[in-house]
Amino acid sequence: MILTVTLNTALDITYRVRSLRPHASHRVSEVTERPGGKGVNVARVLAALGHEVTVTGFTGGATGRVVQERLAAVPGVTDALVPVAGATRRTIAVVDERTGDTTQLNEPGPMVTPAEWSAFQEAYEELLPSASAVALCGSLPPGVPVGAYAGLVRTARAAGVPVLLDTSGEALRRGVAARPDIIKPNADELAELTGSHEPLRATQDARRRGAGAVVASLGPEGLLAATREGRWQATPPTPVRGNPTGAGDSAVAGLLSGLVEHLPWPDRLARAVALSAATVLAPVAGAFDRTTYEKLLERVTVTGEVSAA
């Protein structure tokens, strides 16, 4: 079982409009709703790849009930969300059908009390012994300590479970110091962490700060990885345009599935890039078409070198 942690779960709502214009009224042509938050998106992709996944984090209010109802319909995903008094947030993606661009609106999430945070930590510790890997994903809701991910990384490491951290800002800086096995920042998050805007130098610096491996998302240029085994860059066959919501989470799923399947790094990176690109091309946020993914996987380019570093 792979465990994904989403402390700030969401109900992802996607609106499609013919053309998005500021200060104008719009007629929505299509609305979709699905459980969201980074770790939930990761879990859905892992399940589609054939892995058993358990989702934990927080859920609350009417929106939280909708999230859990929708999760129950996803084969291969087990709901272990912890209840809170506050309401689960919503995220709104507005897709401009004319350009293919997406505008994203993200609510902050519920206020989590100290007692609720303690209850989550207990649930997390109980789930770890059954996990083959854990992903800690996304933003922290109000009330959760900024060093939360660092503590969760240490708990996973003490249990002997490999851990991937995908967050940003101070939560990432503190989390890296706890020595996660993998971090997956985007280029901006990596620059904020290290102070360097040169990706290769920044990935190496992030490893020195404590990460076992650093896989940086470079947008249309794919992924850049610095690991103990070597350094590689994986690029999609062509730039893709569409809805980027969930694309980074699909990349995380590719990396995690490759980890538990013991694939070599180049294969993990190729899978992650193909899944990410297929997600961008999908009409619904956070989804991917299996045939599109398999065709892209055949054409991903991975270059790099093996190293003892």
Side-chain angles (χ1 to χ4, degrees), residues 169-182:
E170 185 66 12
L172 175 60
R173 189 183 70 80
R174 296 197 186 193
V176 167
R179 307 186 70 80
D181 295 270
I182 306 171

Side-chain angles (χ1 to χ4, degrees), residues 38 136-140 149 165-169 171-172 184-185 189:
K38 294 180 72 65
L136 307 174
C137 301
S139 61
L140 300 176
Y149 281 136
L165 176 62
D166 183 15
T167 188
S168 60
L172 175 60
K184 197 216 71 64
E189 292 162 351

Side-chain angles (χ1 to χ4, degrees), residues 8-286:
N8 214 0
T9 54
L11 180 65
D12 287 342
I13 303 170
T14 301
Y15 295 140
R16 300 184 70 86
V17 299
R18 185 180 299 275
S19 177
L20 183 62
R21 304 181 309 280
H23 317 299
S25 178
H26 297 78
R27 185 176 297 278
V28 176
S29 61
E30 182 182 351
V31 181
T32 58
E33 293 183 348
R34 61 193 302 146
K38 294 180 72 65
V40 174
N41 295 336
V42 171
R44 187 165 45 241
V45 175
L46 285 168
L49 292 172
H51 291 275
E52 293 295 319
V53 193
T54 295
V55 171
T56 191
F58 294 114
T59 183
T63 305
R65 288 192 292 274
V66 174
V67 167
Q68 291 187 284
E69 289 169 2
R70 300 293 174 87
L71 271 180
V74 182
V77 174
T78 298
D79 175 0
L81 293 168
V82 176
V84 294
T88 295
R89 67 188 178 125
R90 296 162 297 177
T91 68
I92 311 296
V94 184
V95 180
D96 184 321
E97 295 178 335
R98 180 177 57 85
T99 65
D101 292 335
T102 301
T103 299
Q104 191 81 17
L105 303 172
N106 297 326
E107 296 180 356
M111 176 64 69
V112 176
T113 68
E116 290 166 343
W117 174 236
S118 295
F120 169 79
Q121 289 175 286
E122 292 177 7
Y124 176 71
E125 291 182 17
E126 292 174 0
L127 290 166
L128 280 174
S130 301
S132 55
V134 59
L136 307 174
C137 301
S139 61
L140 300 176
V144 172
V146 70
Y149 281 136
L152 298 179
V153 168
R154 294 187 187 101
T155 302
R157 288 180 58 83
V161 181
V163 55
L164 183 153
L165 176 62
D166 183 15
T167 188
S168 60
E170 185 66 12
L172 175 60
R173 189 183 70 80
R174 296 197 186 193
V176 167
R179 307 186 70 80
D181 295 270
I182 306 171
I183 63 170
K184 197 216 71 64
N186 62 34
D188 291 339
E189 292 162 351
L190 185 61
E192 182 181 4
L193 174 66
T194 64
S196 174
H197 290 271
E198 199 290 305
L200 181 57
R201 179 181 300 173
T203 55
Q204 293 169 331
D205 182 63
R207 282 204 63 213
R208 287 191 291 269
R209 291 168 184 258
V214 180
V215 181
S217 173
L218 305 180
E221 296 178 15
L223 297 174
L224 177 67
T227 78
R228 294 183 182 91
E229 291 83 4
R231 297 187 296 271
W232 293 274
Q233 182 166 351
T235 56
T238 56
V240 295
R241 289 181 62 85
N243 187 350
T245 303
D249 307 325
S250 291
V252 169
L255 296 172
L256 270 181
S257 61
L259 170 67
V260 300
E261 293 172 29
H262 307 290
L263 296 181
W265 269 107
D267 292 346
R268 298 186 205 180
L269 295 168
R271 177 181 291 182
V273 166
L275 283 169
S276 180
T279 300
V280 172
L281 292 170
V284 177

